[in-house]
Amino acid sequence: MANNEKFQWDAIYDVAVLGFGGAGATAARFAADQGAKVLLVDSAPEGHEGGNTRYSGQMVGAGTDYNALKNYHEHLAAPLKPDKAAFDNFIEGMANMGDYFRKYLDVEPVSMKKLLAGTPSTAYVTEYPELPDADSYDDYLVHEGVDDAALWKILRQKVLERSEKIDIWYASPAKHLIQDGITKTVIGVQIERDHVLRNIKVKNGVVLATGGFENNKEMIQTFLQAPYLSPIGSLYNKGDGIKMLEEVNAQLWNMRSFESLGQFHGLSLRQKEGLRSTYALNVFWQESFMGSVIVVGDDGTRYFNEAEMNRHGHIYNHGDWAVPLNQNRPYMIFDQRKYDELKNEPENSFKVPGYLEKAIKADTLAELAEKIGKRQEKLQMTVTEFNFMAQQGKDYAFHRDPKTLRTFNAEGPYYAIALRQNMLNTQGGGRRNGHAQVLNPDGQPIPHLYEAGELGAPFVNKYTTGGNVADCLISGKIAGENAATIKQDLPLSGGLNLNDAIINNDFNSTSDEDKQQYSVGKNQYLGFSNQGMGDGVVVRTTVDNEGKIKNVEILKQTESDDYGLKAVKELPKKMIEENTYDVDAISGASQTSRAIKEAVKDSLSKIK
Ligand SMILES: Cc1cc2nc3c(=O)[nH]c(=O)nc-3n(C[C@H](O)[C@H](O)[C@H](O)COP(=O)(O)OP(=O)(O)OC[C@H]3O[C@@H](n4cnc5c(N)ncnc54)[C@H](O)[C@@H]3O)c2cc1C
């Protein structure tokens, strides 16, 4: 929003960071360390901020050899060329990631490459082993664990530790940038707070860190030519940053670049629109592509090699690996023999509970085709051709490993499971320079506007694990520090000049983090744990005069709505019944159970 009218400002900050995910947390923290007073906002309610960073595998791209990392990443980008400035920052940041972990995250990095050495899972770190210098690449973890929000919790904690300098507003989406009409300087931002649009004056810099457009159907259609893709991360990334970039005439880049994740080049169980899906058929689930099983696309024919390893959804395409091919209604098709194998497969972490119950059954292929809306003759022809190739021991169509081929049973029943292309994250956003400034179409920085994270990430083509979170840490630091730098170029036009500003004294801009206070009565004790998937669990335990547990109240939790909530409901009852915090965990909610148990233990430890 460009405006020169007289304005009433509701609050003034040195820096505003829009989006409290990995990039935003990093930018806010480093801006605060430069002495800036920072406003950090997120559109999600408390406990749901964290964006894709919270849900991510927590792997951070790293290495030690700058030249080798550069060579590998240039080949990943080929035949496209990455933009030099942002790319160089990224490579340099990765080559120094070990120091970053020690200095800024206070942990010794754990090398995934070392952890996985000798197992097939190393392919997850070295996704393109055939490219030169692929060996230089590693993924660092903050401890020996993945998918557990561990890095996110550290990034968030670093923000909370700077509460004197950083105000946090949850459930407060940024709606518009406020730009000076003459100088084009971004001098503020409009944020919706309690259903009212608030004008926030920003003296030195606004950092856009609102993530991608994973949940914006219109943008997915426009930029990715798909009607819908299943998000597997945050539901709050709706492309707002792209809209704000468009408002201030920023140059967009990498709009077509996006990633999926998991088996079958990133297909998930088909989920209702608007809900998160898991990467159903996981990354290394070998059983899913062994034998009489195929995947068909919209017309009932195969469209890729089902045994191809996960490369973030990218699919082999005439010597290169293209961004995922979006079929609208793909299905996994298999026979009774395969069904039995899947059914009898021992439990493993790759399986999504209950997936096989979603299988559609039919006595014949023709009937199956009808049930799943495919043309009968196409599906029949596909299976006939597959059987022929399995007999020959050669997949002429997609070169699937012969060891994985087996003819379908001549007799039914046959099965189909509905799948959908999933969406890990998008890379598109504003073009940035080496100072994380957003550029206009002429390549000139838009004054006071910065960007970090997956909104405008520097990945132009093939992508490898850990790249985005590494970029959050790298670009977040650069954006935060530069946004905090005191600027001498304040615009003088209209009522937007800070000196003329009218400030609304009735508006209270207090941080949401300062509002939480819990009371205790006689024999009541508070306990806390940060072990869960959410932002922490606070409990109030009541004991009798003998110290026996009489009540356990969970005062605050932001665990998952499904399994997590089960633990929240059931564990307190168990603890009272058994008079101990040390009860059995709820199945499927081990992390939430651990958090509740630790919080109650903490509260009991305070009994004198
Ligand atoms: C399941 C999964 C696993 C992944 N694993 C890895 C991995 O191991 N390593 C890796 O490098 N990458 C991984 N990725 C990708 C990576 O997580 C993301 O690209 C990265 O975390 C993005 O960070 P970000 O801070 O840019 O955005 P996000 O973390 O998504 O944060 C953006 C924030 O902006 C907020 N927001 C949106 N609009 C507004 C608005 N208008 N106003 C205010 N706030 C707004 C959102 O609520 C959100 O909290 C994974 C992604 C997923 C989904």
Side-chain angles (χ1 to χ4, degrees), residues 18-24 41-44 48-61 172-175 209-212 232-234 236-238 240 244 261 276 279 423-425 452-455 463 465-470 472:
L18 314 183
F20 188 6
V41 298
D42 203 282
S43 51
H48 296 270
E49 85 288 3
N52 281 342
T53 311
R54 180 193 289 275
Y55 295 109
S56 81
Q58 314 295 302
M59 300 163 207
V60 183
S172 301
K175 292 288 182 182
T210 50
I232 56 175
S234 167
Y236 292 89
N237 289 3
K238 297 182 176 170
D240 293 352
M244 288 186 265
L261 186 66
R276 281 186 69 221
Y279 24 104
M423 157 70 86
L424 186 79
N425 64 295
E454 69 166 66
L455 177 72
Y463 170 85
T465 326
N468 273 112
V469 173
C472 285

Side-chain angles (χ1 to χ4, degrees), residues 1-10 176-179 187-190 197-201 494-497 500-504:
M1 181 172 86
N3 209 317
N4 266 345
E5 297 303 309
K6 268 220 178 263
F7 241 78
Q8 172 159 295
W9 298 104
D10 290 297
H176 303 285
L177 296 173
I178 304 172
Q179 190 179 32
I187 54 164
V189 55
Q190 259 189 339
L197 276 182
R198 297 292 177 184
N199 297 324
I200 309 302
K201 171 85 194 166
L496 299 178
N497 183 2
D500 298 340
I502 304 165
I503 301 296
N504 173 7

Side-chain angles (χ1 to χ4, degrees), residues 82-97:
D83 188 87
K84 191 169 169 359
F87 181 73
D88 283 354
N89 281 346
F90 175 63
I91 303 294
E92 195 184 318
M94 281 197 302
N96 292 303
M97 196 53 83

